[in-house]
Amino acid sequence: MNGGDGNARVAPAAIARISVVISGRGSNLQALLDAERRGELAGSVTHVLSNRPGAAGLALARERGVATSVVDHTAFASRDAFDGALAAEIDRGEPDLVVLAGFMRVLGAGFVLHYTGRMINIHPSLLPAYAGLHTHRRALADRVREHGCSVHFVTPDVDGGPLILQGRVEVRDDDDEAALAARVLAVEHRILPQAVNLYCEGRLRLSSGRVETLAPMR
Ligand code: GRF
């Protein structure tokens, strides 16, 4: 017994705070918010940030009662100035994890290194294939049979950080870009909450540049 007051107990672990950074639609943000609502996320989305004031995902966040911030990249003279303002705004929310979910700006090395091991990104391809933009179009042009999406830790190597989870989809003969993108997106909505949950459960670690996934606690 601790302290002899008859009321000793283990303090509950703090719920992990998640900041989500977006640029647009926000369907991956919605997948996270829905997973949280269903009790499938060992964390809480506490802050949503966007570089675009008109991003639809901001409206969704407000509807769900989540704090939002806009750091409009067009208001800054340089990438460093934008990165600095975005980092300051993210840090104000004191997140345990930063999730880039459809954030369409390349971030400088200084920004990225500040969040080493606590910032992840969802990318619509089976990395290392198709880093960068227009992934579905490029996969179709190459006539690959398999495509998909990846969640990875963010490092200064754009779309090149250590992989956490990947989801595969078969490429069909009659696929066009929109059809393929829609099937990949459905898988993104599954693996991003899974990866975020692993992190929030303390089961995901970046160690010497490699991802370690730990077994669940019993
Ligand atoms: C997703 O396909 C994501 O992988 C990519 O941009 C898209 C964003 O979609 N980086 P949404 O804003 O989450 O709906």
Side-chain angles (χ1 to χ4, degrees):
M1 184 73 59
N2 235 340
D5 62 2
N7 197 27
R9 58 192 167 133
V10 177
I15 290 281
R17 298 170 63 82
I18 304 160
S19 291
V20 184
V21 189
I22 62 169
S23 291
R25 180 177 53 181
S27 68
N28 278 290
L29 165 68
Q30 176 162 6
L32 289 171
L33 291 168
D34 289 349
E36 180 181 345
R37 196 176 254 184
R38 292 194 302 268
E40 293 171 6
L41 209 59
S44 179
V45 177
T46 46
H47 195 189
V48 172
L49 303 97
S50 173
N51 63 308
R52 293 189 187 281
L58 284 172
L60 170 71
R62 290 186 197 112
E63 256 169 49
R64 302 281 184 104
V66 179
T68 60
S69 299
V70 174
V71 182
D72 184 345
H73 64 278
T74 64
F76 295 88
S78 68
R79 187 170 75 179
D80 278 356
F82 168 69
D83 283 4
L86 181 61
E89 197 56 25
I90 291 173
D91 290 349
R92 219 168 52 81
E94 300 185 342
D96 298 293
L97 176 67
V98 179
V99 180
L100 305 182
F103 178 65
M104 302 306 284
R105 311 279 312 167
V106 171
L107 294 160
F111 179 100
V112 169
L113 292 173
H114 177 62
Y115 297 104
T116 299
R118 53 193 182 109
M119 181 161 68
I120 68 175
N121 179 48
I122 176 88
H123 181 80
S125 78
L126 291 173
L127 290 169
Y130 307 115
L133 298 173
H134 309 303
T135 57
H136 310 307
R137 193 183 307 168
R138 288 156 61 207
L140 287 171
D142 288 346
R143 300 185 174 277
V144 293
R145 301 316 311 178
E146 206 178 40
H147 188 45
C149 49
S150 307
V151 182
H152 63 94
F153 278 108
V154 179
T155 65
D157 180 12
V158 177
D159 296 332
L163 295 167
I164 299 167
L165 288 178
Q166 293 188 299
R168 290 162 199 283
V169 304
E170 181 197 349
V171 180
R172 297 178 187 156
D173 290 337
D174 60 351
D175 264 338
D176 60 14
E177 209 177 326
L180 182 57
R183 287 209 313 291
V184 171
L185 192 64
V187 180
E188 293 182 37
H189 296 165
R190 187 160 49 76
I191 68 169
L192 182 62
Q194 269 175 18
V196 169
N197 186 52
L198 277 176
Y199 188 94
C200 293
E201 285 183 333
R203 294 174 53 202
L204 204 57
R205 256 206 317 254
L206 186 62
S207 166
S208 309
R210 302 178 77 95
V211 174
E212 281 178 9
T213 310
L214 311 172
M217 298 241 287
R218 290 182 179 274

